């Protein structure tokens, strides 16, 4: 109650300060628990960012900040000589924009979120830009986006429309970026930025994460590590073409401009229409990247990912086990496997649909969403019931945005497909992309999910795939507005998801895109988890899951045990346990010993999954620095923790140093217990079964990887009550 009143008072104070009453405020303060972001106006009426960093202890001192030459949202065509945030062609052919501060407003959305809006206006042309900021106090996250509108007679042409501009001033800038390809997603690379422009972007239309990932760390002065260094971590919530641009200018100042990629996307903005840009989500810390990851994880749980505080389901998937080659008998036997294994759900993958052009490989049938009568004569409803009888839930794979040319859908609706007139179709995985900008196609896509749910009551999970990017992109629906395709496609995707969520608000849906082609907070509002990569070799997965862990919490990162990789089963399971564990393996092909081991592992995972899914993550040893990876999760009360350690390579006689644990309470006593051991094996973990203070574990640490073969370990720390 007390806190609410204080918030209201602060809110009122801010409204006064920020100029709803005074026409020209000098300071606009955006704060979270630890971060301060400050804007100021100058006498010329323009708005400048004057601070981003650790929040000041005394708010009054923000008034003393000098106004730097760092315009908050840089327009093009007047005096700007570097990369602009916005570029506009007016009705009369004037290619310039000037933005003058008009007002700002700060309100409390709730006890945790403060919303600040700053309005800018061109003094000559009727154009308005609103800069929005939501500050999440407890999570230390700021979400920002921009709205652009105008009242000219005819559409204006926008050729740049950034979500956000951030100015940074430091001696050196180090960029950590993530990139890859199919089966090699989110490889981290770190470089010093030099004078000029560095762009990380996607022009793939869909699958924005396939080559470049829309997330980054920007470290100041020196490269940050897990526990030290000043850095900004940012990501764009957009499932299409994005651009993250870093420009170091002649004074060694840095501007970070993020938003939709302007590439091939000139936008004709109609009078009074609002162009709402995607959200750029960022955080700042002076204590290294462990901190910024935990900020993102907390934010994702509470706001970023659908039902982020709710439990997830463990599952058995059939893709790696059967491919397209299955029938009812095989599937029902796998339901029994899933039940014996102890997982919650069986997930039926690709290949269950299409009749005229059967889906027995990826060359045909995509788009024809009727059960294949040969493989599934009794239909999906039967499978749902059978699964239930055997004690597991049933989930299903779809790829609703795509079509094979060999399909009935293609024959019936050639006008529903993105393809160029007068040119040959171009394929990827033998398929084309549907024209989702067309409302009829949106109805069709919605209808695929809706149809499955209506016809087969009890379907408990969906895996939504998207296996290709857009090439030869041309929308028969958009007519003269082809340059809106990339933007409208993503908007249409979100609007379909919006409809699905209105009707099925809590249905768990996995976001998949030919591996991890779509893993962004724009889509994750509608999804409960994502598929990080088709590469499930556990060694590769250590790096891939490590990369995603910088921005995404463990419960969202689906990590399956498969036949990829030649490591023994324990290693595979230990790697899957660090995320949301699942299996995609033919259990019949395992030895009895391994099958029993897997059953035990699921049981043990059930004991520790809460700590993994909702605890704080501490990355202790990076696989980028040593031939091993060590990380741990600690629960809120600091009473339970789980530590994972994986050797990635071991030189002859190599002995790894001790590892100091983190995040524990120094005063508490913890018992160390190695789990997930093959029956009959003795733990070689130093201190196994013994009790240590959190202080000892954090100061002296443990020798986790004794000499020996490539291995992996999972151990728990349990607070001892005394
Ligand atoms: C994509 C997905 C896989 C699987 C196949 C099915 O590649 O990433 O997990 O679902 O499609 O065709």
């Amino acid at each position: 109650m007390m806190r609410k009143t204080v918030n209201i008072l602060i809110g009122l104070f801010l409204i006064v300060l920020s100029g709803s009453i005074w026409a020209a405020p000098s300071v606009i303060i955006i704060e979270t628990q630890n971060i301060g972001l400050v804007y100021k106006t100058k006498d010329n009426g323009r708005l400048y960012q004057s601070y981003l960093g650790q929040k000041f202890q005394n708010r009054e001192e923000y008034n003393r900040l000098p106004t730097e030459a760092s315009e908050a949202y840089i327009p093009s065509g007047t005096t700007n000589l570097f990369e602009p945030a916005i570029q506009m062609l007016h009705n009369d052919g004037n290619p310039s924009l000037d933005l003058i501060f008009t007002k700002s407003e700060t309100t409390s959305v709730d006890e945790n979120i403060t919303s600040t809006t700053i309005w800018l206006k061109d003094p000559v042309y009727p154009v308005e830009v609103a800069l929005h900021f939501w500050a999440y106090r407890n999570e230390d996250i700021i979400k920002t986006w921009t709205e652009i509108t105008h009242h000219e007679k005819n559409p204006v042409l926008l050729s740049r429309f950034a979500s956000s501009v951030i100015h940074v001033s430091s001696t050196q800038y180090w960029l950590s970026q993530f990139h890859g390809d199919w089966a090699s997603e989110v490889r981290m690379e770190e470089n010093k930025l030099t004078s000029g422009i560095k762009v990380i972007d996607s022009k793939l239309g869909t699958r924005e994460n396939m080559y470049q990932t829309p997330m980054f760390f920007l470290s100041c002065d020196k490269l940050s590590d897990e526990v030290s260094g000043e850095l900004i971590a940012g990501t764009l919530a957009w499932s299409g073409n994005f651009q993250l641009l870093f420009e170091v200018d002649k004074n060694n100042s840095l501007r970070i401009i993020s938003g939709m990629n302007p590439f091939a996307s000139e936008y004709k903005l109609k009078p009074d229409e609002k162009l709402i840009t995607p959200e750029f989500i960022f955080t700042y810390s002076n204590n290294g990247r462990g901190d910024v990851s935990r900020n993102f994880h907390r934010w994702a749980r509470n706001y970023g990912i659908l039902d982020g505080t709710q439990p997830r389901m463990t599952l058995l998937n059939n893709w790696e086990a059967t491919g397209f080659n299955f029938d009812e008998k095989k599937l029902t036997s796998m339901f029994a496997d899933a039940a014996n294994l102890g997982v919650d759900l069986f997930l039926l993958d690709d290949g269950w649909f299409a009749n005229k052009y059967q889906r027995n490989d990826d060359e045909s049938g995509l788009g024809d969403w009727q059960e294949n009568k040969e493989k599934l004569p009794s239909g999906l409803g039967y499978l749902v019931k059978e699964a239930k009888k055997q004690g597991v839930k049933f989930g299903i794979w779809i790829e609703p945005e795509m079509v094979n040319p060999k399909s009935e859908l293609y024959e019936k609706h050639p006008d529903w497909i993105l393809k160029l007139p007068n040119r040959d179709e171009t394929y990827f995985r033998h398929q084309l992309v549907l024209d989702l900008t067309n409302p009829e196609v949106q109805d069709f896509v919605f209808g695929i999910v809706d149809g499955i749910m209506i016809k087969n009551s009890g379907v408990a999970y969906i895996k939504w795939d998207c296996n290709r990017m857009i090439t030869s992109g041309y929308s028969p629906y958009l007519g003269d507005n082809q340059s809106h395709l990339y933007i409208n496609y993503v908007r249409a995707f979100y609007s379909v998801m919006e409809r699905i969520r209105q009707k099925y608000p809590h249905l768990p849906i996995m976001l998949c895109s030919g591996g991890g082609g779509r893993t962004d907070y724009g889509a994750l509002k509608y999804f409960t988890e994502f598929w990080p990569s088709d590469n499930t070799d556990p060694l590769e997965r250590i790096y891939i899951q490590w990369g995603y862990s910088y921005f995404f919490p463990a419960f969202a990162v689906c990590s399956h045990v498969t036949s990829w990789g030649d490591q023994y089963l324990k290693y595979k399971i230990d790697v899957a346990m660090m995320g949301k564990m699942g299996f995609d393996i033919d259990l019949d092909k395992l030895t009895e010993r391994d099958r029993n081991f897997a059953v035990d592992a699921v049981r043990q995972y059930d004991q520790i999954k809460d700590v993994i899914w909702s605890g704080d993550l501490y990355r202790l040893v990076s696989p980028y620095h040593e031939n091993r990876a060590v990380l741990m999760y600690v629960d809120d009360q600091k009473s339970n923790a789980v530590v994972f350690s994986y050797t990635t390579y071991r030189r002859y006689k190599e002995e790894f140093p001790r590892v100091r644990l983190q995040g524990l309470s120094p005063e508490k006593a913890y018992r160390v217990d190695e789990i997930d051991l093959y029956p009959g094996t003795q733990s070689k973990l130093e201190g196994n079964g013994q009790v240590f203070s959190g202080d000892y574990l954090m100061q002296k640490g443990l020798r986790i990887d004794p000499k020996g073969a490539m291995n992996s370990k999972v151990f728990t720390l349990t607070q001892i009550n005394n």
Side-chain angles (χ1 to χ4, degrees), residues 319 349-350 397 429 463 465 467 512 514-515 531 534:
W319 174 244
D349 216 284
D350 196 353
W397 177 96
R429 214 190 189 217
K463 174 176 176 185
D465 212 337
N467 268 302
C512 173
W531 184 235
D534 279 346

Side-chain angles (χ1 to χ4, degrees), residues 208-267:
E208 87 289 336
N209 188 46
M210 189 165 170
Y211 298 145
Q212 298 289 340
T213 298
M215 64 194 200
F216 68 88
F217 294 145
L218 190 283
S219 306
C220 298
D221 292 331
K222 62 178 177 53
L223 195 57
S224 59
D225 58 31
E226 287 295 329
V227 291
S228 71
E230 183 176 19
L231 78 160
I232 293 163
T235 183
L236 193 77
W238 186 243
S239 314
N241 291 354
F242 69 87
Q243 188 185 67
L244 304 169
L245 184 144
F246 305 81
E247 182 170 30
V248 179
D249 70 14
K250 62 188 184 2
N251 301 323
N252 199 43
S253 296
L254 170 69
R255 57 178 69 167
I256 306 172
I257 303 184
S258 57
M260 295 184 286
N261 197 339
F263 164 76
S265 294
E266 281 183 327
Y267 197 87

Side-chain angles (χ1 to χ4, degrees), residues 354-358 363-368 370 402-417 419 425 427 432 434 444:
N355 288 293
K356 182 171 173 190
Y357 303 101
Q358 299 207 357
E363 292 185 23
S364 59
L366 198 59
D368 300 344
Q370 300 79 34
M402 308 275 156
V403 60
N404 282 132
K406 256 189 181 172
S407 68
E408 291 184 77
L409 180 65
Y410 179 93
E411 288 172 349
K412 270 192 228 139
H413 295 288
D415 54 325
W416 278 12
I417 296 167
K419 55 180 177 179
E425 292 173 356
Y427 307 123
L432 293 158
L434 292 178
F444 170 78

Side-chain angles (χ1 to χ4, degrees), residues 113-155:
I113 306 171
T114 308
S115 157
T116 302
T117 307
I118 307 174
W119 283 274
L120 309 170
K121 215 174 161 163
D122 192 294
V124 180
Y125 288 87
V127 176
E128 276 166 37
V129 170
L131 310 179
H132 292 271
F133 302 86
W134 274 28
Y136 295 82
R137 189 179 182 284
N138 295 331
E139 293 80 11
D140 275 324
I141 289 278
I142 298 176
K143 177 172 99 177
T144 174
W145 72 99
T146 298
E147 293 181 9
I148 305 163
T149 185
H150 75 94
H151 316 289
E152 297 192 17
K153 236 171 134 193
N154 296 308

Side-chain angles (χ1 to χ4, degrees), residues 192-212:
K192 194 176 141 184
L193 287 176
T194 53
S195 182
I197 290 182
K198 161 88 185 175
V199 173
I200 297 173
D201 77 344
S202 166
K203 300 186 182 77
L204 280 75
T206 58
R207 303 188 80 177
E208 87 289 336
N209 188 46
M210 189 165 170
Y211 298 145
Q212 298 289 340

Side-chain angles (χ1 to χ4, degrees), residues 386-644:
E386 245 344 89
K388 192 174 173 194
K389 247 196 241 163
Q390 311 229 27
V392 284
K393 296 198 161 117
F394 180 85
I396 194 154
W397 177 96
I398 50 174
E399 192 182 357
E401 299 157 74
M402 308 275 156
V403 60
N404 282 132
K406 256 189 181 172
S407 68
E408 291 184 77
L409 180 65
Y410 179 93
E411 288 172 349
K412 270 192 228 139
H413 295 288
D415 54 325
W416 278 12
I417 296 167
L418 296 178
K419 55 180 177 179
L420 286 166
N422 309 322
R423 289 195 193 279
D424 290 343
E425 292 173 356
T426 53
Y427 307 123
F428 187 91
R429 214 190 189 217
H430 316 284
Q431 64 195 58
L432 293 158
V433 183
L434 292 178
D435 184 2
L436 207 55
T437 66
N438 182 341
E440 284 180 26
V441 177
Q442 293 170 27
D443 289 346
F444 170 78
V445 170
F446 170 77
I448 296 167
V449 174
D450 200 32
I452 290 175
M453 297 303 290
I454 290 170
K455 267 177 56 198
N456 312 290
S457 129
V459 169
Y461 187 93
I462 282 180
K463 174 176 176 185
W464 180 298
D465 212 337
C466 165
N467 268 302
R468 73 157 292 175
M469 68 295 276
I470 297 173
T471 54
S472 308
Y474 180 93
S475 153
Y477 178 77
L478 285 175
D480 289 344
N481 288 323
Q482 290 304 321
S483 63
H484 290 199
L485 171 61
Y486 289 122
I487 296 176
N488 285 11
Y489 185 94
V490 181
R491 286 175 170 173
F493 169 51
Y494 293 160
S495 103
V496 171
M497 291 316 300
E498 208 54 71
R499 266 171 86 183
I500 291 174
R501 283 311 175 193
Q502 265 163 28
K503 191 153 178 198
Y504 307 101
H506 302 293
L507 173 71
I509 309 185
M510 181 206 286
L511 177 60
C512 173
S513 179
R518 224 185 216 171
T519 55
D520 61 90
Y521 280 117
L524 283 168
K525 277 181 198 145
Y526 308 106
F527 291 82
T528 47
E529 52 227 73
F530 66 86
W531 184 235
S533 178
D534 279 346
N535 191 337
T536 44
D537 177 321
L539 190 62
E540 293 292 331
R541 269 303 182 109
I542 290 170
Y543 289 89
I544 291 169
Q545 292 166 196
W546 190 272
Y548 284 113
S549 85
Y550 285 120
F551 285 79
F552 299 100
F555 72 81
V557 184
C558 299
S559 313
H560 295 180
V561 176
T562 75
S563 55
W564 283 53
D566 52 13
Q567 301 83 352
Y568 49 93
L569 188 70
K570 172 180 161 53
Y571 194 90
K572 294 180 176 185
I573 288 183
D574 287 355
V575 172
M577 275 190 178
M578 77 179 259
K580 203 211 87 164
M581 184 167 78
F583 289 79
D584 191 350
I585 196 161
D586 196 338
L587 291 167
D588 294 343
K589 294 198 176 131
L590 297 184
T591 60
E592 202 186 332
R593 182 176 186 244
D594 270 352
R595 258 203 313 275
N596 292 337
F597 177 72
V599 171
D600 261 3
V602 172
R603 214 176 292 139
Q604 297 192 40
Y605 185 68
D606 281 342
Q607 307 291 311
I608 56 174
K609 66 189 183 194
D610 280 354
V611 182
I612 299 167
W613 293 351
S614 59
D616 277 335
L617 168 68
Y618 295 86
R619 286 175 299 255
L620 307 176
V621 180
S622 166
Y624 286 93
H625 296 151
E626 283 186 32
N627 289 331
R628 60 174 175 167
V630 188
L631 63 146
M632 67 189 284
Y633 298 93
V634 185
D635 73 355
D636 263 6
Q637 289 74 41
K638 299 182 187 294
S639 343
N640 289 290
V642 187
V643 185
F644 295 94

